[in-house]
Amino acid sequence: MEFRIERSALTDAVAWAARVLPVRSPVPVLGGLLLDTEVEGGRLRISGLDYEASARIDVSDAEVLRPGRVLVMGRRLLDICKVLPEGPVECAVEGSRFTVSGGGARFGLSVLPLADYPALPALPQVRGAVDAELFAAAVADVAVAAGRDDTLPALTGIRLGLDGEAGTMTLAATDRYRFAVRTLPWKATAPGESADVIVSARRLTEIARSLGRSGLVSVALDAGSAGFEHAGMRTTVRLLEGRLPRHEKLFAMQDPAVAVVDRARLMEAVKRVSVVADGDSPVQMTFSRADASVLLQAGYEDDVASQRVPAELEGAEEMVVAFNPAYLAHALAAFEEPSLRLLLLGAGQRAMITGGADGTGTDAHRHLLMSVRPQLI
């Protein structure tokens, strides 16, 4: 094997494939990246995998002098790529060593045994495609609500629901204290295509970030894995077992009070008063219809903070609720609309945040929070 390529192109491709490599593994070859070259078309393919995920990227601008395959330690190769001088890089297999040279610098890497390397999993059946930019934004919006407790694996995932008849993709995540849902359009390969699976929130976030921000992402699913393909990049991830709670009943709120508030001003106020909110201390919000405002308060005894922000309230003269400040901040940051609607049932009950002062966008992005009991300030 021998090929030439620009340092930046090689670094980007190695970094993308190395995302899935395990930090530690009892199987040494799983720390390797497989480099495969073909003379025709000048194609360089770089692949990596562990037992949970795989990644493969095709690079078309390599000059392949000799075709071949080689397996080398992926993170070490990435470290080398990062310190190489800018410009063309020459890579070759010389005996039992893989050499990388450019700009007067030269490195050698031991070659790992190809016979011990598992086969890369095939891409599951393609079910349809979704806009890359919308997909990345939606995953980021719901991932903040995913759990972090590995003893409850399903709650660490994002529900991926596909409805071919309606042409919608639904992403949802919950840690039992909050519940985020995003719905976006997608194009099914067939009208009857449907699915309801759970993908690791951490893995899906990495995938969505790493794919391009333009064009369509192909979505593939089978009984045990999900796959995504875009612009020469292909990745798979094993599905999580179990199911998330259905959100439809939780999101059905009867006769709530509705508050409308400027998102940026509310975010700034939450950030400001949370400075004195130690531990699990909540941020209390008192909405007043007469004053057309919401008073935010946090802290205890002499260590307190407060700020009043303009807000409209309908359905009640006054409404007092309180939230975990981190959960509230994460929820507000997930929206982009200038104004938000808060549907409130009262202290200790559910509260829903949606985008748009006039209710637009409520079906596309909804974030449910559990209000805690207000505490004396």
Side-chain angles (χ1 to χ4, degrees):
M1 168 193 277
E2 185 177 0
F3 64 92
R4 297 191 186 101
I5 190 172
E6 285 295 316
R7 177 256 181 192
S8 58
L10 179 63
T11 303
D12 290 345
V14 169
W16 192 85
R19 293 177 306 103
V20 301
L21 298 182
V23 177
R24 297 180 183 86
S25 174
V27 184
V29 292
L30 290 184
L33 285 179
L34 178 64
L35 280 67
D36 191 343
T37 57
E38 293 181 359
V39 174
E40 186 177 351
R43 191 211 69 191
L44 166 66
R45 173 173 291 173
I46 303 177
S47 309
L49 78 161
D50 67 7
Y51 290 118
E52 299 295 331
S54 72
R56 192 191 82 185
I57 182 169
D58 289 341
V59 185
S60 60
D61 51 359
E63 181 186 355
V64 179
L65 305 178
R66 285 187 291 123
R69 305 170 77 220
V70 65
L71 184 68
V72 296
M73 292 303 297
R75 298 190 189 279
R76 179 61 59 85
L77 177 59
L78 180 58
D79 290 340
I80 290 172
C81 290
K82 289 179 178 178
V83 299
L84 281 170
E86 290 292 345
V89 174
E90 296 185 2
C91 302
V93 175
E94 299 177 359
S96 61
R97 178 181 294 171
F98 179 69
T99 62
V100 182
S101 58
R106 181 178 174 87
F107 297 87
L109 279 175
S110 299
V111 173
L112 300 174
L114 277 170
D116 297 340
Y117 194 64
L120 204 70
L123 190 73
Q125 178 187 351
V126 175
R127 303 298 188 93
V130 63
D131 180 84
E133 185 174 7
L134 285 177
F135 180 65
V139 171
D141 288 344
V142 303
V144 297
R148 305 293 187 270
D149 186 356
D150 290 333
T151 63
L152 299 170
L155 296 185
T156 66
I158 292 176
R159 176 192 168 216
L160 177 60
L162 305 178
D163 187 336
E165 296 291 345
T168 58
M169 170 187 287
T170 300
L171 301 173
T174 181
D175 61 1
R176 296 181 298 176
Y177 305 103
R178 46 189 171 165
F179 208 135
V181 176
R182 273 291 306 264
T183 302
L184 60 158
W186 87 303
K187 185 177 182 181
T189 54
E193 288 287 359
S194 63
D196 194 341
V197 299
I198 302 179
V199 183
S200 161
R202 180 179 65 84
R203 294 285 192 182
L204 192 58
T205 299
E206 290 177 351
I207 291 169
R209 286 176 178 171
S210 69
L211 297 173
R213 286 294 190 268
S214 61
L216 295 176
V217 174
S218 294
V219 180
L221 291 171
D222 61 19
S225 63
F228 303 89
E229 188 171 27
H230 175 66
M233 296 174 284
R234 172 184 292 187
T235 185
T236 64
V237 59
R238 182 177 296 179
L239 300 177
L240 298 179
E241 295 183 357
R243 295 177 66 89
L244 290 186
R246 304 296 295 188
H247 65 271
E248 288 83 357
K249 290 185 178 180
L250 286 172
F251 282 33
M253 304 179 68
Q254 187 173 2
D255 299 326
V258 180
V260 178
V261 63
D262 181 270
R263 184 181 69 93
R265 297 184 70 169
L266 182 59
M267 286 180 60
E268 188 63 31
V270 170
K271 179 181 178 181
R272 188 169 291 122
V273 302
S274 296
V275 170
V276 298
D278 296 327
D280 295 329
S281 173
V283 170
Q284 179 174 307
M285 305 172 71
T286 303
F287 291 88
S288 172
R289 184 172 184 175
D291 294 338
S293 68
V294 55
L295 176 64
L296 287 83
Q297 298 171 281
Y300 298 107
E301 298 179 349
D302 293 330
D303 297 326
V304 295
S306 65
Q307 183 173 352
R308 191 176 294 275
V309 176
E312 299 175 7
L313 181 65
E314 296 180 0
E317 291 300 319
E318 185 178 270
M319 180 65 68
V320 181
V321 290
F323 300 103
N324 176 297
Y327 291 177
L328 180 58
H330 291 160
L332 298 176
F335 288 86
E336 298 181 354
E337 293 87 345
S339 296
L340 299 179
R341 298 172 79 242
L342 282 72
L343 282 63
L344 309 169
L345 294 177
Q349 301 190 59
R350 308 186 311 277
M352 187 189 299
I353 304 174
T354 66
D358 57 357
T360 59
T362 56
D363 288 335
H365 186 189
R366 294 169 287 175
H367 198 114
L368 196 75
L369 287 174
M370 285 304 299
S371 169
V372 300
R373 293 289 179 183
Q375 301 180 13
L376 294 177
I377 300 296

